[in-house]
Amino acid sequence: MDSAAHIVIVEDDAKISALLGDYMEAAGYRATRIMDGAQAVDALRADGADVVLLDLNLPGLDGLEVCRAVRTFSQAPIIMLTARVDEVDRLLGLDAGADDYVCKPFSPREVVARVRAQLRRASGALAQQAAAPLFAVDRDRMRILLAGAALTLTPVEFRILAELIEHPDRVYSRQQLLDVAHEDQRDISDRTVDSHIKNIRRKLAARPVAAECLQSVYGVGYRFELPLC
């Protein structure tokens, strides 16, 4: 799958688009370059993609609108390209559906690595569909099973871990997880999430492969990665 992957690059800067296209093709992928948001939605609906590289600041239909539109018909991984770190929360918001982001200026090799990681995760998710899941979320009983055994979680820990498990590979900011954990929108420091994650990891420690599923994303927050074994 990886060598034949179709990467769609939606970027209105011709130089950046060409550079990314060259690197994707050098990595063995098939690259399609599109410079307009509305055209990108039509092309993705018609032809699909294995990974989408999507610039935020597109003319007309911007990257956030394109991302939302694509999510109505496709679950292909979307990596947003942005020039501002303070846009990350908006890009990775629950209503947008982006899977990852890269800040400009970036190394094309880094983008290739991010694409490769998304393809690897997608392959792992497909493989897991035929296997018994390591985690199982039971929202009715407010419990999470790890290899068939119920974890001892507080209500806040349950809500955080359940949200992450149900949206694998999606990056969540601390504030987004805080909003999930405390539905009453109380005023709590977003660093409280770090304490909750630390406690959850401790409770997963008996199964190291499970603890490794909770990944820190430097400067942003956390993601849940499906185990590939």
Side-chain angles (χ1 to χ4, degrees):
M1 171 184 169
D2 205 57
S3 61
H6 179 205
I7 314 302
V8 173
I9 302 162
V10 188
E11 166 65 69
D12 66 316
D13 185 308
K15 290 183 178 180
I16 293 177
S17 178
L19 182 64
L20 288 173
D22 288 345
Y23 269 81
M24 294 302 144
E25 290 171 357
Y29 305 134
R30 179 166 62 92
T32 297
R33 294 162 49 196
I34 303 172
M35 302 181 72
D36 176 87
Q39 290 178 10
V41 173
D42 291 341
L44 289 166
R45 183 180 283 110
D47 302 324
D50 292 304
V51 175
V52 180
L53 297 175
L54 178 58
D55 182 41
L56 178 66
N57 296 313
L58 294 170
L61 202 63
D62 71 19
L64 199 61
E65 293 173 299
V66 172
C67 188
R68 288 174 177 152
V70 171
R71 278 292 170 256
T72 65
F73 59 83
S74 172
Q75 292 303 310
I78 297 175
I79 302 174
M80 301 295 293
L81 308 176
T82 176
R84 292 173 51 189
V85 175
D86 60 4
E87 293 169 332
V88 169
D89 278 358
R90 192 160 65 99
L91 299 182
L92 302 175
L94 298 180
D95 61 336
D99 297 278
D100 201 355
Y101 73 97
V102 179
C103 286
K104 299 178 180 178
F106 48 71
S107 160
R109 290 186 178 87
E110 178 190 0
V111 180
V112 172
R114 299 288 188 95
V115 167
R116 188 173 292 121
Q118 290 296 332
L119 290 169
R120 199 162 51 237
R121 288 169 190 147
S123 296
L126 290 173
Q128 281 230 330
Q129 290 177 2
L134 182 62
F135 290 92
V137 177
D138 184 344
R139 286 195 174 270
D140 291 337
R141 298 181 182 180
M142 279 196 70
R143 68 176 187 173
I144 294 175
L145 304 180
L146 171 58
L151 294 168
T152 303
L153 301 169
T154 67
V156 167
E157 291 166 357
F158 168 81
R159 286 193 285 269
I160 289 174
L161 185 55
E163 182 71 25
L164 289 166
I165 291 171
E166 290 175 345
H167 300 88
D169 302 320
R170 178 175 292 179
V171 179
Y172 285 81
S173 70
R174 291 176 175 84
Q175 185 58 54
Q176 287 167 350
L177 289 176
L178 203 59
D179 292 343
V180 168
H182 298 283
E183 297 172 347
D184 57 3
Q185 302 294 310
R186 68 182 71 177
D187 186 18
I188 302 175
S189 168
D190 62 2
R191 289 292 171 177
T192 303
V193 171
D194 296 341
S195 297
H196 292 314
I197 293 291
K198 181 179 179 180
N199 290 335
I200 293 170
R201 283 174 170 156
R202 178 173 51 80
K203 295 175 181 182
L204 299 177
R207 293 290 296 268
V209 67
E212 291 172 3
C213 291
L214 284 180
Q215 297 286 323
S216 299
V217 180
Y218 179 75
V220 182
Y222 299 94
R223 64 150 50 101
F224 177 85
E225 292 191 356
L226 287 168
L228 298 182
C229 59

